Amino acid sequence: MPERDNGEVATTGSVNPVSAPGPSRRHGAAALSRDLLRAPVTGRARRDLLFCLAESALAVVVLAGLGALPGLPLAVTLLVSGGQPVPPPSHAHPAGVVPVFALTVIGALLLLVLLAPRAGRGLAAVHGRLAARLLGVRLAGLPPVPAARGPFGWLAATARDGPGWRAVACLVLKLPVAVAEGCAVFLAIFGPVNMTYPFWWRLFRNHPPGVHLQPAVALTPFGSLPVATFAGSFAAFAAGAAMLLAAPWLARAAAAADCWLMRAMLGPGRLTQRVADLEQTRAQAVQDSAALLRRLERDLHDGAQVRLATLAMNLGLAREKLGPGADPAVRELVDAAHRGAKDALAELRGLARGIHPPVLDNGLPDALATLAAGSPLPVRLTTALPRRPAPAIETIAYFCAAELLANATKHSRANQVTIDVAASGEVLELRVGDDGCGGADPSGGGLSGLAQRVSVVDGQVRTVSPPGGPTQITVTLPMQA
């Protein structure tokens, strides 16, 4: 055999190593065949087919509703006219039937406005639960319908229900997909039925030679297949096997298309989802910040504050043990160290209270009661909180009340301060008022700082302070950060 110059043996012969089937190709073909044969009996195939069956049934309900709306005016008109069709305007009784038909059409349209968004929401919720239960696909729920008062308000809210109408559009657009899902169910049911033809043919077609029977019919997606002989039953068997193998793949594709359509139509838009994600991230950051501040306050209270208190006590004991003959310079140093330790302890306590007042652990009403008791001005406190707000909201509300109470004490020349705290639904309102001289400037350093602080959680600060008073400042906060 000839050799190359570099010592390698030259390849001879006509075999192309690139086109020769290798072990990887044989393994891939075997795996594909195995997956194709196992597909009809897997758990995923059963779940997909159950989903397709349920979606097909719901599509029939939607079609029945769509067919009932245009049929309602005609049915009412036929009932009024005694079974006669709608007459033309020149008929002998134009004033009897035509107005009834027109009024019925208007009533059907009004019924559509009243029921379609609500029914669309209900059916969309059913579709979402089916997708979650059978396919493991979680779909975002529709936002609630805006609250309205009275029948006209309810009708206006329903007519403006954008997510509800979007659900109706989704149900209509799902009808073509439901056709594919119905085909998958048809294949899964009649495929095994067609495969039974060779097994029962000899039992039920054993007629005498002179008797001619009608051909049996095997149902396929392309029409009926007549089976007149035993050999023809194997054609039905082959068609049934193909239908059974194709059913899970068609069901999987139809279910995937259905879920994609529901995500696109019923789920939030990209911008809405981004806003929701940012709100959730912000709430998590606010909660983590509040937890960090509480932990820092506990560490200062249980650690550094205790050590400073022990140091101050030891220095006091050392000063008492110094006898009359002690060096005055030493006594002065011990006294200075004792005063410095006490001053540092007082500053540390004030810093810890500024980070997170320990009294807030008992709730916002108790914390505000303690704040009001320590005020130099008389304070009338009213609280109405059916449930406790989030810890971060309690901290913000407390410091807002403390800042407003301090401003009233310093600048308002008031005789009394009122603090009212109430919760309505998911909104917490803190109102601080005084009977002072008024003239509070919302753009000032204190109030603008409060506005910036509450804006972190989408809160608002409203100031009413005409010259001469009185002053009322309302802080609105969410119950949850």
Side-chain angles (χ1 to χ4, degrees), residues 5 32 66 68 105 120 170 180 192 219 230 247 258 263 270 288 336 358 388 393 461:
D5 294 339
L32 180 61
L66 293 177
V105 170
C170 178
L219 298 179
F230 180 67
D258 201 334
R263 282 197 190 98
R270 182 176 301 177
D288 292 344
R388 190 168 180 176
I393 300 300
V461 177

Side-chain angles (χ1 to χ4, degrees), residues 357-436:
V359 71
L360 267 178
D361 294 338
N362 298 327
L364 185 59
D366 291 346
L368 293 179
T370 304
L371 183 65
S375 171
L377 290 176
V379 178
R380 181 176 59 84
L381 175 64
T382 304
T383 58
L385 295 177
R387 59 189 179 91
R388 190 168 180 176
I393 300 300
E394 285 186 332
T395 303
I396 295 174
Y398 175 84
F399 282 115
C400 287
E403 179 69 20
L404 294 174
L405 185 58
N407 289 343
T409 303
K410 293 178 182 178
H411 308 295
S412 69
R413 300 195 296 271
N415 298 319
Q416 187 181 23
V417 178
T418 60
I419 300 178
D420 299 320
V421 181
S424 176
E426 295 298 323
V427 177
L428 173 69
E429 280 194 355
L430 168 68
R431 292 184 295 273
V432 179
D434 62 70
D435 56 356

Side-chain angles (χ1 to χ4, degrees), residues 89-113:
S90 59
H91 194 267
H93 305 284
V97 179
V98 175
V100 172
F101 182 78
L103 290 176
T104 311
V105 170
I106 295 175
L109 294 177
L110 183 60
L111 187 66
L112 175 65
V113 174

